[in-house]
Amino acid sequence: MNPYITAALIFTLGLGTTVTFASSHWLLAWMGLEINTLAIIPLMSQHHHPRATEATTKYFLTQATAAAMILFASATNAWLTGEWEIQQMTHPLPATATTMALALKIGLAPMHFWLPEVLQGLDLTTGLILSTWQKLAPFALLMQTPWTNPELMITLGLASTLVGGWGGLNQTQLRKLLAYSSIAHLGWMVLVLQFSPQLTLLALLTYFIMTFSAFMMFKTNNTTSINSMAASWAKAPALTALAPLIMLSLGGLPPLTGFAPKWLILQELTKQELPLMATLAALTALLSLYFYLRVCYAMTLTVSPNTLTNTMPWRLLTPQLTLPLTISTTMSLLLLPLAPTTLTLLTP
């Protein structure tokens, strides 16, 4: 793709998200979401591969459905209450419809079916944009919409953590695995959203850092399946040594960065006298941990099938930028000691 066109599309992508961030009116927010969707579609289908075209079509149809639901719900709210303000959606019917539409937009269970299929058809760079940047605008709206139905949010959160863990168990494709990882992480965020929006933001930020590291690691190794990860130790030994730590950080094991948001979310759920929800969420995290461990096992404890006597291929200098990967990996592994400071800042 022409660099000027790519730059224009990425700028439009940023513009759409910024418009949604800055809006207090439902029509303007909807317009920002539509700009966002239309900007990423050419980026998704740029390789003209049948799978990419199929993924783009699926993405467009789900996003268009969600946008139509948001427009319908906001018009219904204006009809019932006379208000177009985002924070004035007080009637339970349009508020529930909007929550479900935004859940469809970001891929929360049980509206998650499109996400693994779409992510599987994209290249790693576009997949990274879809897994991180495209979540920002719907999440901003989800945080502003009044939560008239707390049970719905808890149900969506628990279903997402369960589906995210269960769905990834038998996956061999890394992009699908990261899609289920995304669903599980979003479930944790939605679970605590109504009790502590600051914790949701913290979880979203750490999820972005860890997902960025994971995608960049797979991009540097030029691999998209678990089986091909076995050859990565010969390509980039240092990265292969750090990769299991990135995966375990995504799983939420101490003493890595990914443990902090889960720890604080479980603490908050216990404070809100929801010990059963906290226990279920913690148990579903074990499911996710299993498939991260499978990737670690494939990378570090298996040797790729090799017919040559010499197992070391040429290690040429990679043309890719490694600085972003270095920074994000460091942040994915070493930010847990900042948890007390973060907790102090989050406490009102």
Side-chain angles (χ1 to χ4, degrees):
M1 190 182 278
N2 187 310
Y4 293 115
I5 295 173
T6 309
L9 289 171
I10 289 172
F11 174 75
T12 313
L13 205 60
L15 177 71
T17 306
T18 311
V19 165
T20 305
F21 277 178
S23 59
S24 58
H25 192 285
W26 271 114
L27 275 181
L28 202 60
W30 169 81
M31 204 179 299
L33 290 171
E34 286 299 285
I35 291 169
N36 221 340
T37 304
L38 292 174
I40 201 173
I41 280 172
L43 292 172
M44 293 170 78
S45 59
Q46 62 182 318
H47 296 296
H48 303 295
H49 191 276
R51 277 187 187 165
T53 311
E54 182 190 342
T56 310
T57 310
K58 284 177 179 173
Y59 182 74
F60 174 73
L61 290 173
T62 49
Q63 297 299 306
T65 307
M69 276 178 73
I70 289 169
L71 203 56
F72 173 71
S74 53
T76 308
N77 187 63
W79 180 43
L80 291 170
T81 63
E83 283 286 350
W84 279 99
E85 290 281 317
I86 292 173
Q87 295 181 342
Q88 297 298 322
M89 191 170 267
T90 48
H91 198 280
L93 178 67
T96 306
T98 306
T99 305
M100 296 303 279
L102 290 169
L104 174 62
K105 256 198 179 303
I106 57 178
L108 283 173
M111 287 80 68
H112 67 282
F113 295 100
W114 62 272
L115 185 59
E117 299 298 324
V118 168
L119 212 55
Q120 180 59 27
L122 305 178
D123 67 322
L124 289 167
T125 312
T126 319
L128 174 61
I129 296 172
L130 187 70
S131 300
T132 53
W133 186 261
Q134 291 298 92
K135 311 285 186 198
L136 282 172
F139 240 101
L141 292 178
L142 204 54
M143 290 181 79
Q144 289 181 73
T145 311
W147 306 296
T148 54
N149 194 343
E151 291 82 8
L152 175 67
M153 302 295 280
I154 289 174
T155 308
L156 284 174
L158 276 179
S160 298
T161 55
L162 189 63
V163 165
W166 226 323
L169 288 182
N170 63 343
Q171 296 300 331
T172 56
Q173 295 294 321
L174 293 171
R175 284 167 295 184
K176 276 194 175 180
L177 204 134
L178 283 170
Y180 283 108
S181 164
S182 170
I183 293 164
H185 277 92
L186 292 171
W188 279 86
M189 294 171 215
V190 169
L191 203 54
V192 81
L193 180 59
Q194 57 194 327
F195 306 120
S196 175
Q198 301 93 337
L199 270 186
T200 299
L201 275 179
L202 174 70
L204 189 64
L205 186 64
T206 49
Y207 160 72
F208 278 5
I209 294 166
M210 295 182 297
T211 305
F212 183 84
S213 291
F215 269 101
M216 291 302 286
M217 175 183 71
F218 298 147
K219 191 168 162 34
T220 307
N221 280 326
N222 195 21
T223 178
T224 54
S225 72
I226 289 183
N227 296 336
S228 57
M229 293 296 279
S232 64
W233 68 271
K235 293 181 197 170
L239 186 59
T240 308
L242 288 171
L245 293 175
I246 298 171
M247 289 288 110
L248 294 176
S249 186
L250 268 167
L253 274 195
L256 304 167
T257 306
F259 176 61
K262 287 187 176 175
W263 172 30
L264 294 173
I265 287 169
L266 290 175
Q267 186 182 334
E268 183 62 36
L269 287 173
T270 315
K271 275 185 191 171
Q272 298 293 335
E273 297 182 359
L274 292 167
L276 182 63
M277 303 304 162
T279 309
L280 286 171
L283 288 173
T284 54
L286 293 175
L287 291 170
S288 302
L289 190 60
Y290 173 77
F291 63 74
Y292 295 128
L293 282 169
R294 276 180 67 210
V295 179
C296 300
Y297 175 77
M299 286 192 79
T300 55
L301 298 173
T302 58
V303 179
S304 63
N306 208 320
T307 53
L308 300 174
T309 51
N310 181 15
T311 55
M312 290 291 283
W314 287 102
R315 289 215 300 270
L316 301 172
L317 284 172
T318 173
Q320 297 177 33
L321 274 175
T322 49
L323 184 64
L325 175 60
T326 311
I327 295 168
S328 63
T329 302
T330 309
M331 291 174 75
S332 296
L333 305 184
L334 301 174
L335 289 187
L336 185 65
L338 292 178
T341 314
T342 314
L343 196 56
T344 309
L345 292 172
L346 291 179
T347 309

